[in-house]
Amino acid sequence: MPAKPLAQLPNRRLLARVAAATLVLAAATPLTIAYAASPSAGVSPTAVAPGGRVSLNVTGCGTKTGLASSTAFGDVRLTPGNLEAANLFGNATVFSNANAGAHSVTFECGGAGGQRVTVSLQVTTGAARGGLGGSIGAMSSGQIALGGTMAAGALGTGVWVLRRRSRMS
């Protein structure tokens, strides 16, 4: 097929305008789709004892402010996790006298009348783990025996190395 003469090629300015318009539309489309959808929220952990702490997270608000409220912990202001405000975060301490059972947590984007999403938080019976932050759980007698043996072995090896050094000197 022979090459077309330059006179038959489309106008370069027209092509540049079409390309620029396409780029603007392509850049704006993900933002429109992302914020047109309803926000999604989460509470972690989903089950907690009275006095325990929970992390609150909502995505898809498109605002830099938010509020989470529940009968389990009251109102908590949410702050953005990044400059685009794609995620809003907060922490709450469950009331020490909170009733056991399911509590609704309502996340509200922006000011009054903003988008809302509701999730559930389960308040369990009992008290929050304190002391070491719950880092030590129940251990079996086998684990205790193994730990004791390892500690005694390390102590014995240390004594043997020190005595051997003192003989060599």
mmCIF file of all heavy atoms in Angstrom, residues 71-123:
data_model
loop_
_atom_site.group_PDB
_atom_site.id
_atom_site.type_symbol
_atom_site.label_atom_id
_atom_site.label_comp_id
_atom_site.label_asym_id
_atom_site.label_seq_id
_atom_site.Cartn_x
_atom_site.Cartn_y
_atom_site.Cartn_z
ATOM 1 N N THR A 71 -22.647 2.772 70.816
ATOM 2 C CA THR A 71 -23.015 2.727 72.236
ATOM 3 C C THR A 71 -21.924 2.047 73.050
ATOM 4 O O THR A 71 -21.900 2.170 74.267
ATOM 5 C CB THR A 71 -24.338 1.958 72.422
ATOM 6 O OG1 THR A 71 -24.203 0.659 71.840
ATOM 7 C CG2 THR A 71 -25.495 2.695 71.771
ATOM 8 N N ALA A 72 -20.989 1.357 72.377
ATOM 9 C CA ALA A 72 -19.912 0.667 73.079
ATOM 10 C C ALA A 72 -18.790 1.614 73.488
ATOM 11 O O ALA A 72 -18.103 1.372 74.473
ATOM 12 C CB ALA A 72 -19.344 -0.459 72.213
ATOM 13 N N PHE A 73 -18.577 2.725 72.732
ATOM 14 C CA PHE A 73 -17.465 3.623 73.054
ATOM 15 C C PHE A 73 -17.752 5.105 72.843
ATOM 16 O O PHE A 73 -16.896 5.942 73.095
ATOM 17 C CB PHE A 73 -16.202 3.239 72.282
ATOM 18 C CG PHE A 73 -16.397 3.135 70.791
ATOM 19 C CD1 PHE A 73 -16.486 4.257 69.984
ATOM 20 C CD2 PHE A 73 -16.474 1.892 70.204
ATOM 21 C CE1 PHE A 73 -16.654 4.145 68.624
ATOM 22 C CE2 PHE A 73 -16.632 1.764 68.838
ATOM 23 C CZ PHE A 73 -16.730 2.890 68.041
ATOM 24 N N GLY A 74 -18.898 5.504 72.394
ATOM 25 C CA GLY A 74 -19.215 6.917 72.180
ATOM 26 C C GLY A 74 -18.792 7.385 70.798
ATOM 27 O O GLY A 74 -18.822 6.624 69.830
ATOM 28 N N ASP A 75 -18.373 8.673 70.688
ATOM 29 C CA ASP A 75 -17.978 9.275 69.403
ATOM 30 C C ASP A 75 -16.467 9.379 69.315
ATOM 31 O O ASP A 75 -15.810 9.758 70.283
ATOM 32 C CB ASP A 75 -18.573 10.678 69.255
ATOM 33 C CG ASP A 75 -20.086 10.659 69.145
ATOM 34 O OD1 ASP A 75 -20.637 9.586 68.823
ATOM 35 O OD2 ASP A 75 -20.719 11.711 69.364
ATOM 36 N N VAL A 76 -15.928 9.068 68.133
ATOM 37 C CA VAL A 76 -14.491 9.162 67.881
ATOM 38 C C VAL A 76 -14.289 9.880 66.550
ATOM 39 O O VAL A 76 -14.880 9.498 65.537
ATOM 40 C CB VAL A 76 -13.844 7.752 67.817
ATOM 41 C CG1 VAL A 76 -12.384 7.850 67.426
ATOM 42 C CG2 VAL A 76 -14.004 7.037 69.136
ATOM 43 N N ARG A 77 -13.461 10.929 66.567
ATOM 44 C CA ARG A 77 -13.115 11.618 65.325
ATOM 45 C C ARG A 77 -12.079 10.798 64.569
ATOM 46 O O ARG A 77 -11.117 10.316 65.160
ATOM 47 C CB ARG A 77 -12.544 12.996 65.610
ATOM 48 C CG ARG A 77 -13.559 13.952 66.141
ATOM 49 C CD ARG A 77 -13.118 15.397 65.913
ATOM 50 N NE ARG A 77 -14.100 16.313 66.402
ATOM 51 C CZ ARG A 77 -15.190 16.690 65.727
ATOM 52 N NH1 ARG A 77 -15.402 16.193 64.541
ATOM 53 N NH2 ARG A 77 -16.036 17.543 66.238
ATOM 54 N N LEU A 78 -12.286 10.670 63.270
ATOM 55 C CA LEU A 78 -11.371 9.918 62.418
ATOM 56 C C LEU A 78 -10.492 10.886 61.643
ATOM 57 O O LEU A 78 -10.946 11.941 61.219
ATOM 58 C CB LEU A 78 -12.156 9.031 61.449
ATOM 59 C CG LEU A 78 -13.143 8.063 62.106
ATOM 60 C CD1 LEU A 78 -13.938 7.319 61.052
ATOM 61 C CD2 LEU A 78 -12.416 7.092 63.007
ATOM 62 N N THR A 79 -9.225 10.535 61.486
ATOM 63 C CA THR A 79 -8.271 11.390 60.777
ATOM 64 C C THR A 79 -7.733 10.650 59.558
ATOM 65 O O THR A 79 -7.688 9.421 59.542
ATOM 66 C CB THR A 79 -7.105 11.797 61.698
ATOM 67 O OG1 THR A 79 -6.480 10.604 62.182
ATOM 68 C CG2 THR A 79 -7.590 12.621 62.872
ATOM 69 N N PRO A 80 -7.301 11.396 58.538
ATOM 70 C CA PRO A 80 -6.813 10.745 57.318
ATOM 71 C C PRO A 80 -5.483 10.043 57.539
ATOM 72 O O PRO A 80 -4.636 10.497 58.297
ATOM 73 C CB PRO A 80 -6.671 11.890 56.316
ATOM 74 C CG PRO A 80 -6.630 13.131 57.117
ATOM 75 C CD PRO A 80 -7.327 12.852 58.412
ATOM 76 N N GLY A 81 -5.312 8.933 56.824
ATOM 77 C CA GLY A 81 -4.072 8.186 56.894
ATOM 78 C C GLY A 81 -3.066 8.633 55.855
ATOM 79 O O GLY A 81 -1.907 8.275 55.920
ATOM 80 N N ASN A 82 -3.513 9.437 54.873
ATOM 81 C CA ASN A 82 -2.609 9.956 53.853
ATOM 82 C C ASN A 82 -3.153 11.294 53.341
ATOM 83 O O ASN A 82 -4.235 11.714 53.728
ATOM 84 C CB ASN A 82 -2.433 8.946 52.710
ATOM 85 C CG ASN A 82 -3.756 8.556 52.079
ATOM 86 O OD1 ASN A 82 -4.716 9.312 52.084
ATOM 87 N ND2 ASN A 82 -3.813 7.356 51.540
ATOM 88 N N LEU A 83 -2.414 11.941 52.464
ATOM 89 C CA LEU A 83 -2.810 13.264 51.976
ATOM 90 C C LEU A 83 -4.065 13.231 51.123
ATOM 91 O O LEU A 83 -4.800 14.207 51.058
ATOM 92 C CB LEU A 83 -1.659 13.901 51.194
ATOM 93 C CG LEU A 83 -0.413 14.210 52.024
ATOM 94 C CD1 LEU A 83 0.708 14.733 51.142
ATOM 95 C CD2 LEU A 83 -0.735 15.214 53.113
ATOM 96 N N GLU A 84 -4.323 12.115 50.447
ATOM 97 C CA GLU A 84 -5.506 12.025 49.594
ATOM 98 C C GLU A 84 -6.766 11.712 50.397
ATOM 99 O O GLU A 84 -7.850 11.700 49.839
ATOM 100 C CB GLU A 84 -5.320 10.939 48.525
ATOM 101 C CG GLU A 84 -4.289 11.282 47.477
ATOM 102 C CD GLU A 84 -2.891 10.879 47.919
ATOM 103 O OE1 GLU A 84 -2.755 9.898 48.676
ATOM 104 O OE2 GLU A 84 -1.937 11.562 47.520
ATOM 105 N N ALA A 85 -6.625 11.432 51.656
ATOM 106 C CA ALA A 85 -7.746 11.096 52.548
ATOM 107 C C ALA A 85 -8.500 9.875 52.042
ATOM 108 O O ALA A 85 -9.707 9.798 52.152
ATOM 109 C CB ALA A 85 -8.685 12.294 52.720
ATOM 110 N N ALA A 86 -7.782 8.914 51.462
ATOM 111 C CA ALA A 86 -8.433 7.695 50.990
ATOM 112 C C ALA A 86 -8.885 6.831 52.163
ATOM 113 O O ALA A 86 -9.877 6.124 52.064
ATOM 114 C CB ALA A 86 -7.489 6.906 50.088
ATOM 115 N N ASN A 87 -8.173 6.892 53.280
ATOM 116 C CA ASN A 87 -8.513 6.125 54.478
ATOM 117 C C ASN A 87 -8.604 7.069 55.666
ATOM 118 O O ASN A 87 -7.783 7.956 55.813
ATOM 119 C CB ASN A 87 -7.439 5.079 54.795
ATOM 120 C CG ASN A 87 -7.315 4.022 53.736
ATOM 121 O OD1 ASN A 87 -8.256 3.747 53.015
ATOM 122 N ND2 ASN A 87 -6.146 3.440 53.633
ATOM 123 N N LEU A 88 -9.586 6.835 56.502
ATOM 124 C CA LEU A 88 -9.704 7.570 57.759
ATOM 125 C C LEU A 88 -9.552 6.566 58.896
ATOM 126 O O LEU A 88 -10.122 5.480 58.847
ATOM 127 C CB LEU A 88 -11.059 8.276 57.845
ATOM 128 C CG LEU A 88 -11.344 9.327 56.772
ATOM 129 C CD1 LEU A 88 -12.770 9.852 56.912
ATOM 130 C CD2 LEU A 88 -10.349 10.462 56.839
ATOM 131 N N PHE A 89 -8.770 6.945 59.912
ATOM 132 C CA PHE A 89 -8.446 6.037 61.007
ATOM 133 C C PHE A 89 -8.785 6.647 62.353
ATOM 134 O O PHE A 89 -8.836 7.861 62.502
ATOM 135 C CB PHE A 89 -6.947 5.709 61.017
ATOM 136 C CG PHE A 89 -6.478 4.976 59.816
ATOM 137 C CD1 PHE A 89 -5.880 5.654 58.769
ATOM 138 C CD2 PHE A 89 -6.632 3.610 59.732
ATOM 139 C CE1 PHE A 89 -5.441 4.980 57.651
ATOM 140 C CE2 PHE A 89 -6.199 2.925 58.617
ATOM 141 C CZ PHE A 89 -5.600 3.614 57.570
ATOM 142 N N GLY A 90 -8.947 5.773 63.345
ATOM 143 C CA GLY A 90 -9.145 6.196 64.720
ATOM 144 C C GLY A 90 -9.039 5.002 65.645
ATOM 145 O O GLY A 90 -8.998 3.852 65.198
ATOM 146 N N ASN A 91 -8.980 5.276 66.936
ATOM 147 C CA ASN A 91 -8.944 4.234 67.965
ATOM 148 C C ASN A 91 -9.974 4.574 69.026
ATOM 149 O O ASN A 91 -10.235 5.744 69.281
ATOM 150 C CB ASN A 91 -7.560 4.148 68.618
ATOM 151 C CG ASN A 91 -6.517 3.626 67.664
ATOM 152 O OD1 ASN A 91 -6.697 2.593 67.057
ATOM 153 N ND2 ASN A 91 -5.428 4.369 67.515
ATOM 154 N N ALA A 92 -10.517 3.539 69.642
ATOM 155 C CA ALA A 92 -11.506 3.753 70.696
ATOM 156 C C ALA A 92 -11.301 2.725 71.797
ATOM 157 O O ALA A 92 -10.854 1.608 71.546
ATOM 158 C CB ALA A 92 -12.917 3.623 70.131
ATOM 159 N N THR A 93 -11.633 3.123 73.004
ATOM 160 C CA THR A 93 -11.624 2.212 74.141
ATOM 161 C C THR A 93 -13.073 1.916 74.504
ATOM 162 O O THR A 93 -13.864 2.833 74.741
ATOM 163 C CB THR A 93 -10.902 2.839 75.345
ATOM 164 O OG1 THR A 93 -9.562 3.157 74.959
ATOM 165 C CG2 THR A 93 -10.864 1.887 76.521
ATOM 166 N N VAL A 94 -13.400 0.639 74.535
ATOM 167 C CA VAL A 94 -14.764 0.218 74.859
ATOM 168 C C VAL A 94 -15.018 0.530 76.334
ATOM 169 O O VAL A 94 -14.152 0.303 77.184
ATOM 170 C CB VAL A 94 -14.944 -1.293 74.565
ATOM 171 C CG1 VAL A 94 -16.313 -1.779 75.013
ATOM 172 C CG2 VAL A 94 -14.734 -1.560 73.083
ATOM 173 N N PHE A 95 -16.195 1.079 76.618
ATOM 174 C CA PHE A 95 -16.550 1.410 77.990
ATOM 175 C C PHE A 95 -16.409 0.175 78.884
ATOM 176 O O PHE A 95 -16.745 -0.934 78.484
ATOM 177 C CB PHE A 95 -17.993 1.921 78.078
ATOM 178 C CG PHE A 95 -18.234 3.213 77.347
ATOM 179 C CD1 PHE A 95 -19.374 3.383 76.576
ATOM 180 C CD2 PHE A 95 -17.334 4.266 77.426
ATOM 181 C CE1 PHE A 95 -19.619 4.572 75.919
ATOM 182 C CE2 PHE A 95 -17.562 5.459 76.768
ATOM 183 C CZ PHE A 95 -18.722 5.615 76.011
ATOM 184 N N SER A 96 -15.912 0.389 80.103
ATOM 185 C CA SER A 96 -15.721 -0.739 81.022
ATOM 186 C C SER A 96 -17.047 -1.332 81.476
ATOM 187 O O SER A 96 -17.097 -2.468 81.919
ATOM 188 C CB SER A 96 -14.898 -0.297 82.236
ATOM 189 O OG SER A 96 -15.563 0.747 82.911
ATOM 190 N N ASN A 97 -18.138 -0.567 81.347
ATOM 191 C CA ASN A 97 -19.456 -1.077 81.730
ATOM 192 C C ASN A 97 -20.331 -1.380 80.509
ATOM 193 O O ASN A 97 -21.550 -1.451 80.629
ATOM 194 C CB ASN A 97 -20.156 -0.092 82.663
ATOM 195 C CG ASN A 97 -20.376 1.257 81.996
ATOM 196 O OD1 ASN A 97 -19.848 1.537 80.921
ATOM 197 N ND2 ASN A 97 -21.151 2.105 82.650
ATOM 198 N N ALA A 98 -19.707 -1.568 79.328
ATOM 199 C CA ALA A 98 -20.469 -1.861 78.115
ATOM 200 C C ALA A 98 -21.167 -3.213 78.245
ATOM 201 O O ALA A 98 -20.607 -4.168 78.778
ATOM 202 C CB ALA A 98 -19.554 -1.858 76.898
ATOM 203 N N ASN A 99 -22.403 -3.260 77.765
ATOM 204 C CA ASN A 99 -23.167 -4.504 77.806
ATOM 205 C C ASN A 99 -22.609 -5.498 76.797
ATOM 206 O O ASN A 99 -22.221 -5.126 75.687
ATOM 207 C CB ASN A 99 -24.638 -4.243 77.477
ATOM 208 C CG ASN A 99 -25.309 -3.390 78.526
ATOM 209 O OD1 ASN A 99 -24.962 -3.459 79.698
ATOM 210 N ND2 ASN A 99 -26.261 -2.584 78.104
ATOM 211 N N ALA A 100 -22.567 -6.766 77.194
ATOM 212 C CA ALA A 100 -22.123 -7.818 76.277
ATOM 213 C C ALA A 100 -23.138 -7.965 75.155
ATOM 214 O O ALA A 100 -24.337 -7.774 75.355
ATOM 215 C CB ALA A 100 -21.967 -9.132 77.032
ATOM 216 N N GLY A 101 -22.635 -8.274 73.966
ATOM 217 C CA GLY A 101 -23.509 -8.457 72.811
ATOM 218 C C GLY A 101 -23.060 -7.601 71.632
ATOM 219 O O GLY A 101 -22.004 -6.969 71.657
ATOM 220 N N ALA A 102 -23.881 -7.577 70.592
ATOM 221 C CA ALA A 102 -23.559 -6.839 69.368
ATOM 222 C C ALA A 102 -23.888 -5.359 69.535
ATOM 223 O O ALA A 102 -24.945 -5.004 70.056
ATOM 224 C CB ALA A 102 -24.324 -7.419 68.192
ATOM 225 N N HIS A 103 -22.955 -4.517 69.104
ATOM 226 C CA HIS A 103 -23.146 -3.063 69.110
ATOM 227 C C HIS A 103 -22.898 -2.560 67.697
ATOM 228 O O HIS A 103 -21.926 -2.959 67.050
ATOM 229 C CB HIS A 103 -22.157 -2.384 70.066
ATOM 230 C CG HIS A 103 -22.416 -2.673 71.505
ATOM 231 N ND1 HIS A 103 -23.107 -1.812 72.323
ATOM 232 C CD2 HIS A 103 -22.083 -3.736 72.281
ATOM 233 C CE1 HIS A 103 -23.177 -2.325 73.536
ATOM 234 N NE2 HIS A 103 -22.557 -3.499 73.537
ATOM 235 N N SER A 104 -23.738 -1.668 67.224
ATOM 236 C CA SER A 104 -23.542 -1.062 65.908
ATOM 237 C C SER A 104 -22.489 0.025 66.008
ATOM 238 O O SER A 104 -22.455 0.781 66.976
ATOM 239 C CB SER A 104 -24.844 -0.446 65.391
ATOM 240 O OG SER A 104 -25.802 -1.449 65.188
ATOM 241 N N VAL A 105 -21.614 0.084 64.992
ATOM 242 C CA VAL A 105 -20.633 1.159 64.873
ATOM 243 C C VAL A 105 -20.955 1.878 63.569
ATOM 244 O O VAL A 105 -20.886 1.278 62.496
ATOM 245 C CB VAL A 105 -19.188 0.629 64.848
ATOM 246 C CG1 VAL A 105 -18.200 1.769 64.718
ATOM 247 C CG2 VAL A 105 -18.901 -0.198 66.090
ATOM 248 N N THR A 106 -21.336 3.144 63.659
ATOM 249 C CA THR A 106 -21.708 3.924 62.480
ATOM 250 C C THR A 106 -20.572 4.860 62.121
ATOM 251 O O THR A 106 -20.119 5.650 62.952
ATOM 252 C CB THR A 106 -22.992 4.725 62.742
ATOM 253 O OG1 THR A 106 -24.027 3.807 63.098
ATOM 254 C CG2 THR A 106 -23.405 5.512 61.515
ATOM 255 N N PHE A 107 -20.103 4.754 60.886
ATOM 256 C CA PHE A 107 -19.064 5.626 60.348
ATOM 257 C C PHE A 107 -19.748 6.658 59.473
ATOM 258 O O PHE A 107 -20.564 6.318 58.616
ATOM 259 C CB PHE A 107 -18.073 4.833 59.507
ATOM 260 C CG PHE A 107 -17.242 3.860 60.294
ATOM 261 C CD1 PHE A 107 -17.713 2.601 60.602
ATOM 262 C CD2 PHE A 107 -15.973 4.219 60.718
ATOM 263 C CE1 PHE A 107 -16.937 1.703 61.316
ATOM 264 C CE2 PHE A 107 -15.190 3.331 61.436
ATOM 265 C CZ PHE A 107 -15.677 2.073 61.738
ATOM 266 N N GLU A 108 -19.410 7.939 59.679
ATOM 267 C CA GLU A 108 -19.991 9.017 58.881
ATOM 268 C C GLU A 108 -18.862 9.823 58.244
ATOM 269 O O GLU A 108 -17.970 10.308 58.940
ATOM 270 C CB GLU A 108 -20.851 9.926 59.758
ATOM 271 C CG GLU A 108 -21.578 10.984 58.972
ATOM 272 C CD GLU A 108 -22.533 11.791 59.827
ATOM 273 O OE1 GLU A 108 -22.601 11.556 61.046
ATOM 274 O OE2 GLU A 108 -23.201 12.670 59.278
ATOM 275 N N CYS A 109 -18.912 9.941 56.932
ATOM 276 C CA CYS A 109 -17.892 10.691 56.187
ATOM 277 C C CYS A 109 -18.235 12.172 56.198
ATOM 278 O O CYS A 109 -19.382 12.549 55.956
ATOM 279 C CB CYS A 109 -17.830 10.204 54.749
ATOM 280 S SG CYS A 109 -17.428 8.462 54.584
ATOM 281 N N GLY A 110 -17.247 13.021 56.446
ATOM 282 C CA GLY A 110 -17.468 14.466 56.412
ATOM 283 C C GLY A 110 -18.381 14.927 57.518
ATOM 284 O O GLY A 110 -18.431 14.359 58.609
ATOM 285 N N GLY A 111 -19.129 15.985 57.232
ATOM 286 C CA GLY A 111 -20.038 16.555 58.219
ATOM 287 C C GLY A 111 -21.383 15.861 58.234
ATOM 288 O O GLY A 111 -21.559 14.768 57.692
ATOM 289 N N ALA A 112 -22.351 16.533 58.862
ATOM 290 C CA ALA A 112 -23.698 15.977 58.967
ATOM 291 C C ALA A 112 -24.273 15.764 57.570
ATOM 292 O O ALA A 112 -24.109 16.579 56.676
ATOM 293 C CB ALA A 112 -24.579 16.923 59.761
ATOM 294 N N GLY A 113 -24.918 14.654 57.404
ATOM 295 C CA GLY A 113 -25.516 14.339 56.107
ATOM 296 C C GLY A 113 -24.566 13.658 55.148
ATOM 297 O O GLY A 113 -24.910 13.413 54.003
ATOM 298 N N GLY A 114 -23.349 13.352 55.602
ATOM 299 C CA GLY A 114 -22.381 12.669 54.752
ATOM 300 C C GLY A 114 -22.734 11.194 54.592
ATOM 301 O O GLY A 114 -23.656 10.684 55.223
ATOM 302 N N GLN A 115 -21.973 10.517 53.759
ATOM 303 C CA GLN A 115 -22.199 9.093 53.541
ATOM 304 C C GLN A 115 -21.992 8.330 54.844
ATOM 305 O O GLN A 115 -21.118 8.663 55.633
ATOM 306 C CB GLN A 115 -21.242 8.556 52.484
ATOM 307 C CG GLN A 115 -21.512 9.074 51.103
ATOM 308 C CD GLN A 115 -20.514 8.502 50.117
ATOM 309 O OE1 GLN A 115 -19.318 8.580 50.338
ATOM 310 N NE2 GLN A 115 -21.013 7.920 49.044
ATOM 311 N N ARG A 116 -22.791 7.295 55.040
ATOM 312 C CA ARG A 116 -22.721 6.494 56.263
ATOM 313 C C ARG A 116 -22.596 5.018 55.924
ATOM 314 O O ARG A 116 -23.121 4.556 54.929
ATOM 315 C CB ARG A 116 -23.981 6.674 57.107
ATOM 316 C CG ARG A 116 -24.105 8.017 57.736
ATOM 317 C CD ARG A 116 -25.385 8.098 58.527
ATOM 318 N NE ARG A 116 -25.485 9.408 59.137
ATOM 319 C CZ ARG A 116 -25.968 9.617 60.330
ATOM 320 N NH1 ARG A 116 -26.425 8.624 61.043
ATOM 321 N NH2 ARG A 116 -26.017 10.832 60.821
ATOM 322 N N VAL A 117 -21.904 4.325 56.800
ATOM 323 C CA VAL A 117 -21.817 2.865 56.718
ATOM 324 C C VAL A 117 -21.795 2.350 58.156
ATOM 325 O O VAL A 117 -21.215 2.968 59.040
ATOM 326 C CB VAL A 117 -20.588 2.401 55.904
ATOM 327 C CG1 VAL A 117 -19.304 2.831 56.548
ATOM 328 C CG2 VAL A 117 -20.603 0.909 55.694
ATOM 329 N N THR A 118 -22.471 1.219 58.382
ATOM 330 C CA THR A 118 -22.575 0.663 59.727
ATOM 331 C C THR A 118 -22.031 -0.766 59.735
ATOM 332 O O THR A 118 -22.343 -1.551 58.838
ATOM 333 C CB THR A 118 -24.040 0.673 60.206
ATOM 334 O OG1 THR A 118 -24.521 2.015 60.179
ATOM 335 C CG2 THR A 118 -24.162 0.127 61.613
ATOM 336 N N VAL A 119 -21.213 -1.054 60.735
ATOM 337 C CA VAL A 119 -20.689 -2.409 60.945
ATOM 338 C C VAL A 119 -21.003 -2.812 62.385
ATOM 339 O O VAL A 119 -21.450 -1.998 63.177
ATOM 340 C CB VAL A 119 -19.163 -2.485 60.668
ATOM 341 C CG1 VAL A 119 -18.858 -2.166 59.221
ATOM 342 C CG2 VAL A 119 -18.389 -1.580 61.594
ATOM 343 N N SER A 120 -20.724 -4.063 62.709
ATOM 344 C CA SER A 120 -21.045 -4.579 64.034
ATOM 345 C C SER A 120 -19.773 -4.832 64.844
ATOM 346 O O SER A 120 -18.759 -5.260 64.306
ATOM 347 C CB SER A 120 -21.842 -5.881 63.898
ATOM 348 O OG SER A 120 -22.188 -6.375 65.169
ATOM 349 N N LEU A 121 -19.849 -4.567 66.131
ATOM 350 C CA LEU A 121 -18.788 -4.856 67.086
ATOM 351 C C LEU A 121 -19.375 -5.743 68.169
ATOM 352 O O LEU A 121 -20.418 -5.425 68.747
ATOM 353 C CB LEU A 121 -18.244 -3.558 67.704
ATOM 354 C CG LEU A 121 -17.296 -3.703 68.892
ATOM 355 C CD1 LEU A 121 -16.000 -4.378 68.447
ATOM 356 C CD2 LEU A 121 -17.001 -2.350 69.509
ATOM 357 N N GLN A 122 -18.721 -6.851 68.440
ATOM 358 C CA GLN A 122 -19.192 -7.789 69.456
ATOM 359 C C GLN A 122 -18.441 -7.517 70.759
ATOM 360 O O GLN A 122 -17.219 -7.618 70.804
ATOM 361 C CB GLN A 122 -18.949 -9.228 68.999
ATOM 362 C CG GLN A 122 -19.521 -10.278 69.905
ATOM 363 C CD GLN A 122 -21.035 -10.309 69.864
ATOM 364 O OE1 GLN A 122 -21.655 -9.984 68.880
ATOM 365 N NE2 GLN A 122 -21.642 -10.706 70.967
ATOM 366 N N VAL A 123 -19.164 -7.150 71.807
ATOM 367 C CA VAL A 123 -18.569 -6.976 73.134
ATOM 368 C C VAL A 123 -18.776 -8.279 73.887
ATOM 369 O O VAL A 123 -19.902 -8.755 74.033
ATOM 370 C CB VAL A 123 -19.190 -5.782 73.887
ATOM 371 C CG1 VAL A 123 -18.633 -5.686 75.295
ATOM 372 C CG2 VAL A 123 -18.938 -4.485 73.132
#
